[in-house]
Each structure stands twice: as C-alpha cells, then as structure tokens.
Amino acid sequence: MSAEFPRGDARLARVRVVLSHTTHPGNIGAAARALKAMGLARLALVNPRHFPDPQAEAMAVGADDVLAAAGVCASLDEALAGATLAIALTARRRDLSPLALDVRDAARLAVEEAASGGEVAYVFGTEMSGLSNDEVIRCQRVAHIATNPDFSSLNLAAAVQIVAYETRVALLGGVAPDPGRTPPATHEELEGLFAHLETSMVRSGFLDPHNPRRLLERLRRLLGRARPESQEVNILRGMLTAWDEGPRGPRRE
Amino acid sequence: MSAEFPRGDARLARVRVVLSHTTHPGNIGAAARALKAMGLARLALVNPRHFPDPQAEAMAVGADDVLAAAGVCASLDEALAGATLAIALTARRRDLSPLALDVRDAARLAVEEAASGGEVAYVFGTEMSGLSNDEVIRCQRVAHIATNPDFSSLNLAAAVQIVAYETRVALLGGVAPDPGRTPPATHEELEGLFAHLETSMVRSGFLDPHNPRRLLERLRRLLGRARPESQEVNILRGMLTAWDEGPRGPRRE
C-alpha cells in the first residue's frame, strides 16, 4: 500500500488517541500496536492504572516506540490540549450528548479536520464503564461502533483497532486496485476461444450441433464473469488443442 | 443498532471464520469475542496448537458460547465443507493469487453471497507466517487489510475484528443480491472439478506431471474469479469426460 500515500502522512500526525483511566496495561500495549499498524503514532494516557508495565510492552510487540512516546496526563483536559476536534467513542447513546456519528463518518470527519490543519483526538474510556458524562461533554462529537445488540462488549484495543483502521481507510480514500493481473484478453482472442471451444465440443461428441442446449451461451457467461487474461486464453486453447488430438497412451474402445 | 436489523440475522448465520494452525489460544478466544460483538457466531479451527485452552476461555469473555461451538478440523478442506465463497486474508500480494480485494469490498461480496443463499468462509493463517500458498489457492478471493507499509503487523484477533466489523457494516448497509445466479458450486464440487481437470490434462499430454508450470494454479485463479455455479461445474465435467474419451469420427494420425 506504500504507493498509495506517503509514509508518515502529515494528516495522521495530527491525530491522537486518548485512553482514559485504562485498567489493564495489556490493552494499552495492544492499542499501541493497533495504532502503529494503521500508521498512527500519538497515544495519550489519562491516569492509567498501571503504566509503564511489562504487560503493556508484551502486547505492543513492534510498537514499543509508540508506547515509549505515549504521554501520561493527569486529566482529559491535559490530554486534549491543542485538539480542535475531540471525538468520544461511546457504546450507547446518551441524553444531551454531542452530535453522534457512526465511526466511519467520524473517521472521515477526523481526516478532513487534520487535512485542514486541525488537531484531532479520539477519546476512549475504561474497559468496564466507558467514558463519564463529564468526559463526553468535553468532546465535540460522539462516535458509535455498530455492534451486536445482544453482545456489544468490544475489547478496548479492538475498538481502538477499528477506529484506527477506519481512519486509515478514510485517508486512503477508497479502494486498492488488484495489481496482480496481466492484460485482459481482447474481443478477438475471446471469440477465437469460443470458436475453438465449439469445434472441440462437437468433435468430442459433447455438443450435438442439432441440439446445442445453449451450452456455448453458458460457457460465455461463465468466462465472461472471469474476464480472462490473454495468457489464460492461450492456456485454454492449448488445452483444447491437446484434447482435440485425443488422449495419449492406452485408448478406451 | 437492534432496530436496524433482526437479531440472529440469517445472512450472518451463513458466514464462518476459519483460523488455520493458530499458535496462541488467547487469539482464538479474542477472535470469538470479536465475532460475537459483530453478530457472527461460527468459528472453525484447523489444527490449532492448543485448544481447548484456559487462555482461549479467558480472552473470550462473554463469547464462551462461540468458543464452545467452534469446530476443530484436520484440514482446510474440512473447514471449508459446503462453502461457496472462501476469502483468504493475506498481508501481502502473491503471484497467481485469486482476485484480490480490499476487506471492505470483500465484506460486501460476502454479505451479498450470504444474502443469495451462499455459504461464506473468511480464512486466516498463522500469527507468524499467515496462510500457505496451498491454502490461498483453495479460496476464490484474497482480501487485504490496508496497513502501515512500515509496520503491517496486525494481531490475528485484531484482523478478525476488522473483518467482522466490515461484515456487520456491509450488512447494515444492505447489499442487494445478484438475482441472475443459480446456486454456486460448493468447495467439494470445485475441488472435484480441479482434480478431474488435472487427470484430463495429464491424460491428454497437455500437463507434464514432472513439469506442471503452475497450470493448475492458473486455472484455479481463472475459475476462482468466475465463481462457477453447480450447473456450470457439471457442464465442465461433462466436457472433460467427453474429451477423456477422445475425439469421435475420423482421427488424425
């Protein structure tokens, strides 16, 4: 994906993730890895219960640099210093909450904000109870991750992973083409293949020209979905030629 | 979100996640939780190193039902039994891989397939080395999760979380099924076709078993893109049988 946007994208450098009052240090390490895998690097920790901690380092795997650079703050206000857009991740809707978005729209908004020079913060609460109302009202938006109504228990690092992923996808702005393909077959190549298929099927006795059963139309439909490459048409025609010659070795009568 | 679609959505019931040769049981438990949080419930484990395991149960939290129902399989073929669309999650592009999609488009395709009555499998490899080529070519699509080119190390359960999340979002987005299709071929039907193709190509002399030139991989890739229907597999096997018997009528010498 490296061709799709520059390393150390300036927009991602203006996005921070704030974890408030995290209980399990393993989640802080897993969150650091989740951020780094998506090209984010800025982590702020508001009163973590245990930090630094060996469990955090164990879960960070190659993201120890993100962990080492994480700022520990005494309050959410300190963690939000300089932020122009703070987005609170909450599992449930609340009265009087800021404007609510789904996380995809929130990520698009975050990338727009960063692209226009703003400073974005995603804010996550504790594993057990999420963000307090006092924390939520310090943000300009709340974002919800769609979950199973019967089981909305998302691990903290998993929620961070989804938000970081959506931010990266919003940044890439869409879909990677498949570079693995070689040139597609031309119309002439395809028609040559279908003509060869017909003669081979007739020659083998599989296709009765007096009762074709729409076999060629079915094969056109199948291969049309595949959009064959030139190389693939050549392979198929080579197979047909080999079959036209008939089986080698002992012949059944 | 419960208003947005019924609990126990029938489409999600036709989506399974396959974890092949997972090393760390904690990742199996975290994957079960990730699935359940997105409304998915079907987990198949191909030769897990440790399962069942207390670490898996610890990480599953409230998803012990998904863990308890997980099937342990001796091979990927067993885990893919009945699947009509298998999507391999891979970190890197490979030659001759099936058609590659980003995970968002793969999730849309998966929901469309399930909505039209198909059976979908997402296939994940080991923590260290991912899927083998032999596993990848048994799938009809590969999907990539966009990651940081400098640090693409995504935790296995985090990757499962992203795929499950995209599947849920695709579901909520409501994808219209393709009306024109008849039932897709199952994994067993496709493997039967590939086995027949190989014997027919060898018999005709087109495929030299001592120098296969990756011909079968190329045909798997072509037909994987086409996603054959059961009827189409039957037609192709009928053609192969006719060719196996050799041409009728005057024979060239």
Side-chain angles (χ1 to χ4, degrees), chain A residues 39-204:
Chain A
L40 293 160
R42 290 172 57 197
L43 186 58
L45 308 171
V46 179
N47 297 321
R49 184 174 294 179
H50 307 285
F51 189 82
D53 187 280
Q55 278 185 45
E57 282 146 35
M59 293 300 287
V61 189
D64 31 18
D65 53 343
V66 172
L67 211 54
V72 176
C73 304
S75 68
L76 180 58
D77 289 333
E78 184 185 337
L80 293 180
T84 58
L85 172 63
I87 301 170
L89 276 290
T90 65
R92 56 193 188 286
R93 313 236 174 225
R94 313 173 188 220
D95 306 340
L96 298 183
S97 85
L99 180 63
L101 303 170
D102 67 43
V103 70
R104 181 159 301 171
D105 291 339
R108 291 194 188 109
L109 181 66
V111 168
E112 269 175 44
E113 179 76 7
S116 58
E119 280 281 332
V120 179
Y122 292 116
V123 183
F124 294 80
T126 67
E127 292 90 337
M128 287 307 293
S129 53
L131 291 166
S132 69
N133 286 327
D134 185 60
E135 290 173 312
V136 171
I137 61 171
R138 287 175 147 62
C139 302
Q140 293 76 48
R141 294 287 186 276
V142 298
H144 302 292
I145 297 173
T147 51
N148 177 358
D150 298 328
F151 183 77
S152 60
S153 156
L154 206 56
N155 165 266
L156 173 61
V160 171
Q161 182 70 76
I162 288 169
V163 168
Y165 161 77
E166 280 286 10
T167 304
R168 184 173 193 82
V169 173
L171 193 79
L172 297 176
V175 172
D178 175 9
R181 302 201 58 191
T182 65
T186 63
H187 178 72
E188 295 84 338
E189 289 170 320
L190 287 175
E191 291 305 314
L193 171 62
F194 293 128
H196 194 165
L197 259 172
E198 181 168 15
T199 53
S200 299
M201 289 194 296
V202 169
R203 181 174 167 80
S204 71

Side-chain angles (χ1 to χ4, degrees), chain A residues 189-208 215-224 228 233 236-241 243-244, chain B residues 222 235-236 239-240 243:
Chain A
E189 289 170 320
L190 287 175
E191 291 305 314
L193 171 62
F194 293 128
H196 194 165
L197 259 172
E198 181 168 15
T199 53
S200 299
M201 289 194 296
V202 169
R203 181 174 167 80
S204 71
F206 182 65
L207 177 62
D208 173 0
L215 276 171
L216 271 167
E217 282 165 73
R218 291 172 185 274
L219 292 169
R220 282 179 177 274
R221 178 167 165 269
L222 170 68
L223 289 168
V233 167
L236 293 174
R237 295 201 62 173
M239 287 168 56
L240 290 173
T241 302
W243 278 314
D244 291 341
Chain B
L222 171 67
I235 290 169
L236 293 173
M239 288 168 55
L240 290 173
W243 279 315

Side-chain angles (χ1 to χ4, degrees), chain B:
Chain B
M1 315 299 295
S2 56
E4 292 179 34
F5 77 100
R7 286 169 159 65
D9 185 276
R11 293 165 293 180
L12 292 183
R14 283 195 289 268
V15 177
R16 75 189 80 171
V17 165
V18 178
L19 303 182
S20 181
H21 295 81
T22 308
T23 306
H24 302 297
N27 283 332
I28 297 173
R33 180 179 179 180
L35 294 184
K36 188 171 180 179
M38 296 297 152
L40 292 160
R42 290 172 56 198
L43 186 58
L45 308 171
V46 180
N47 297 322
R49 184 175 293 178
H50 307 287
F51 189 82
D53 187 279
Q55 277 185 29
E57 282 146 36
M59 294 300 286
V61 188
D64 32 20
D65 54 342
V66 172
L67 210 54
V72 176
C73 303
S75 69
L76 180 58
D77 286 333
E78 184 184 336
L80 292 180
T84 59
L85 172 62
I87 300 171
L89 276 290
T90 65
R92 57 192 189 287
R93 311 256 180 207
R94 315 174 186 219
D95 342 328
L96 295 187
S97 87
L99 183 63
L101 302 172
D102 68 44
V103 71
R104 180 158 302 169
D105 288 343
R108 291 193 186 111
L109 181 66
V111 169
E112 190 181 330
E113 180 76 5
S116 58
E119 280 280 333
V120 178
Y122 291 115
V123 184
F124 295 80
T126 67
E127 291 90 338
M128 287 307 292
S129 54
L131 291 166
S132 69
N133 285 328
D134 186 60
E135 290 174 312
V136 170
I137 62 172
R138 289 177 139 62
C139 301
Q140 293 79 48
R141 294 288 185 276
V142 298
H144 301 293
I145 297 173
T147 52
N148 176 359
D150 298 328
F151 183 76
S152 60
S153 156
L154 205 56
N155 164 266
L156 173 61
V160 170
Q161 182 68 78
I162 288 169
V163 168
Y165 161 76
E166 280 286 12
T167 302
R168 184 173 193 81
V169 173
L171 191 80
L172 297 176
V175 185
D178 170 0
R181 298 194 63 197
T182 67
T186 64
H187 179 72
E188 296 86 327
E189 289 171 320
L190 287 174
E191 290 302 318
L193 171 62
F194 293 128
H196 193 164
L197 259 172
E198 181 169 17
T199 53
S200 299
M201 289 195 297
V202 169
R203 182 174 167 80
S204 71
F206 181 66
L207 176 63
D208 173 2
H210 306 297
N211 177 23
R213 293 174 296 143
R214 304 183 74 183
L215 276 172
L216 270 167
E217 277 167 77
R218 292 175 186 275
L219 292 170
R220 280 179 177 275
R221 177 166 168 269
L222 171 67
L223 288 168
R225 288 206 310 277
R227 311 268 337 280
E229 300 165 4
S230 285
Q231 284 181 3
E232 292 169 335
V233 168
N234 293 339
I235 290 169
L236 293 173
R237 294 200 62 172
M239 288 168 55
L240 290 173
T241 302
W243 279 315
D244 290 341
E245 287 166 6
R248 308 265 172 101
R251 189 146 191 255
R252 280 182 262 144
E253 297 306 341

